[in-house]
Amino acid sequence: MTATAAPAVLDRKGLDALVAALVAQGRTVVGPTVRDGAVVLAELTSADALPFGWGVELEAGRYRLVRREDGAAFAHSAGPQSWKNFLHPPRERLWSADRKPDGEVVFGAEEPADPSYAFLGVRPCDLRAIAIQDRVLTGGRFEDSGYGRRRSGALLIAAECTEPGATCFCVSTGGGPAADPGYDLALTEVVDEHGHRFLVRVGSEEGARLLEQVPHRAADPVTEDTARASVEGARDRMGRSLPPVDLHTLMGSSLDADRWNDVAERCLTCGNCTMVCPTCFCTTTEEVTDLTGDHTERWQRWDSCFDLDFSYLHGGPVRRSARSRYRQWLTHKLSTWHDQFGTSGCVGCGRCIAWCPVGIDITEEVAALKAESETETD
Amino acid sequence: MTAVPVPHRVISRRPETADTVTLRFEPVGRPLADFLPGQFAMVHAFGRGEIPVSVSSVQATGGLAHTVRSVGAVSDGLCAARVGDVVGIRGPYGTSWELQRARGRDVVIVAGGIGFAPLRPLILGALAEPEAYRRINVLIGARTPSDLIARAEVASWATAYTGVTVDQPEPDWRGDVGVVTQLLGRAQFEPEETTAFVCGPEPMIRATARELIQHGVPHDRVQVSLERNMRCATGHCGHCQLGPVLVCQAGPVVDWAHAEPLLAVREL
Ligand SMILES: Cc1cc2nc3c(=O)[nH]c(=O)nc-3n(C[C@H](O)[C@H](O)[C@H](O)COP(=O)(O)OP(=O)(O)OC[C@H]3O[C@@H](n4cnc5c(N)ncnc54)[C@H](O)[C@@H]3O)c2cc1C
Ligand code: SF4
Ligand code: SF4
Ligand code: FES
């Protein structure tokens, strides 16, 4: 898609009008909002629900909301959910089957009227995570049709990062804090003595049409420069980083590392990291029958490679130890994902660090593996 | 398209052993695309679930059939199917045996237990064109004589060598006793000019592949069929990973040269 319009500026009213226009189109608008002590993603009926004036404080195993003086709406980093909760939901019915009195069985594909989503405030890391799930779920020989249906109807409005969290490391995964292509509109929030406003860049025809419907003005140099400077500033304030080495090779040569035993002593194999990760896609299936026994449904739900049953075969799991399950997760993210899907499986959002109950930090584990590989080759 | 099962009617049911049954199928309506030997289907037992099962006969030679060993809820349900019942099947999935790579060469086919099922259509394919291959060898191992599948059919095959061995004999057993690899000594093949096909439990696959290579069969001329937990067969559920390989997509049939280093890593 080509950018079809010059950058523009929206003010608070313009943002209100943007949400109203999307709602009027019949779209389900999903964006960040404060609920239960966290910034969650939920349906928004107006821009008022955005987390104006909220930021977050993050550390390994820690997430806390904090007040912000500047009233910014998008100055919080990734929360516990990601857009996969909507595009690749935790539970989904795949198909159902009915056994008729004559013994015939009729299978029915699931073709629900999925909502037509508009995602507001997609972080650059999450934009990349969506592109990664696109490759996994729709880029192979077979397509996950439910995902494909929801995804092709979804409109993406990115919000570039001006305030990275202490657990963020998108830059060292090759992305952020500016938005890569793939968005319909990209917002950069600016709050200064000239007011609270959003620089808007257009990424698609649909984005351009949407922008036409809301009050906006042409971008002025001050807003453009300030926006660019705050995104550039964010690049230099990343809380963490992955070591600048070929991770595919490092992981591939670290399968026997001692570090896996060390992390296995700390890891609870709870699977939180896989649930919050915006790229983790693994699922399992369940059969659900009604009381008559003649109607059965096939459901898909998120699964985790940390679950013992995940690799179940011949009377037991292939990956029995915590060591092998953490190794599966980390090597898949950073190494075998490349072999399977041609990209890394990590975008550096930091969620797995913040939401790990014991504070296991992917960047620290990779650094330790690197150090171990260096002492071996010495 | 979501991968939804396609109704198939059971047109025959043959018990093979105390816990294994061969079911032949006919599509109720639209047929599935043609399966190749080595490929598998996801087969649905109504109200119980869906499991990966290789084809033990393909449409091109005798019609679609599955040979299922009852080991749990879903396989039990399938083994209990009666003639006339309707079962949902989707596929074909995965890679197939590359029989064309054996043309003009000696062929060694080694089956352990239920691993015989996916090899059966390959054997029939090779026997249908005997002039295309040098010598065809079939080596079969099972736990006990009662666990041998399709004994009469196996006895009727015109191969250069057919060997059958069991781990534990029964009173009327006059054949070989011991692991299947010991039959390799009697098989007729020139190792450097051989293509081999192996399916069975993982320890048996390792031992057989290793021995074939010791005999001098090239690494990349040994094809094996791998098994991993599979929920989707379409490359989306993540369950079948073996390191870099999604077994449902890049397998189940892979070259031993590719599989060996992966299977060498414990709990990969
Ligand atoms: C590519 C592929 C091809 C296959 N082809 C065939 C085939 O042609 N015929 C066939 O019978 N099976 C085949 N299998 C194995 C089959 O899929 C499993 O036996 C099946 O998934 C078990 O499911 P269940 O619900 O019946 O048992 P579960 O409830 O999952 O398991 C019940 C019990 O069976 C044991 N079990 C699980 N899997 C196996 C297994 N593979 N072998 C032995 N015990 C097991 C478990 O440890 C448990 O004790 C194939 C598997 C793959 C991946
Ligand atoms: S592995 Fe961790 S940092 Fe990387 S994308 Fe997943 S949750 Fe984010
Ligand atoms: S790394 Fe942390 S979040 Fe992930 S499974 Fe282990 S304890 Fe749970
Ligand atoms: S069986 Fe689901 S990815 Fe292979």
Side-chain angles (χ1 to χ4, degrees), chain A residues 266-274 306 326 329 352 355-360:
Chain A
R266 289 170 282 135
C267 176
L268 312 174
T269 66
C270 66
N272 270 13
C273 46
T274 59
F306 283 93
Y326 187 85
W329 182 68
C352 56
W355 296 95
C356 174
V358 294
I360 292 171

Side-chain angles (χ1 to χ4, degrees), chain A residues 125-201:
Chain A
C125 56
D126 283 350
L127 201 58
R128 292 171 75 215
I130 292 172
I132 289 172
Q133 286 213 324
D134 287 352
R135 291 181 84 122
V136 173
L137 298 173
T138 65
R141 254 192 80 210
F142 302 96
E143 168 171 309
D144 177 328
S145 58
Y147 179 91
R149 209 170 43 228
R150 288 181 291 273
R151 174 68 178 93
S152 63
L155 185 106
L156 307 182
I157 303 175
E160 298 198 307
C161 258
T162 53
E163 192 69 66
T167 53
C168 290
F169 58 99
C170 62
V171 171
S172 63
T173 66
D180 289 338
Y183 55 80
D184 294 285
L185 293 177
L187 310 180
T188 315
E189 189 168 29
V190 178
V191 193
D192 61 10
E193 65 275 22
H194 305 291
H196 189 173
R197 58 207 188 278
F198 304 86
L199 179 74
V200 188
R201 284 182 295 137

Side-chain angles (χ1 to χ4, degrees), chain B residues 93-167:
Chain B
Y93 293 122
T95 53
S96 56
W97 302 112
E98 293 183 285
L99 185 56
Q100 66 282 6
R101 292 187 63 206
R103 291 185 96 79
R105 303 168 62 88
D106 285 331
V107 179
V108 175
I109 299 172
V110 191
I114 188 75
F116 173 78
L119 288 167
R120 184 177 169 274
L122 172 81
I123 299 168
L124 295 183
L127 290 174
E129 256 188 310
E131 68 288 351
Y133 312 95
R134 281 167 60 173
R135 289 163 293 184
I136 300 172
N137 297 269
V138 177
L139 284 55
I140 297 171
R143 239 169 351 111
T144 71
S146 309
D147 290 310
L148 286 166
I149 298 169
R151 275 169 86 170
E153 185 184 0
V154 171
S156 75
W157 285 339
T159 60
Y161 171 71
T162 299
V164 179
T165 180
V166 299
D167 296 334

Side-chain angles (χ1 to χ4, degrees), chain A residues 169 273 276-279 329 333 345-353 362:
Chain A
F169 58 99
C273 46
V276 296
C277 177
T279 67
W329 182 68
K333 286 281 131 188
C346 177
V347 297
C349 72
R351 286 182 175 91
C352 56
I353 304 173
I362 179 172

Side-chain angles (χ1 to χ4, degrees), chain A residues 312-316, chain B residues 40 51-54 67-69 71-76 114 117-118 226-228 230 252:
Chain A
Y312 192 83
L313 196 69
H314 293 296
Chain B
F40 68 98
I51 55 170
V53 189
S54 305
T67 300
V68 185
R69 177 159 166 237
V71 296
V74 182
S75 48
D76 258 4
I114 188 75
L226 300 175
E227 187 180 340
R228 280 295 176 270
M230 291 187 184

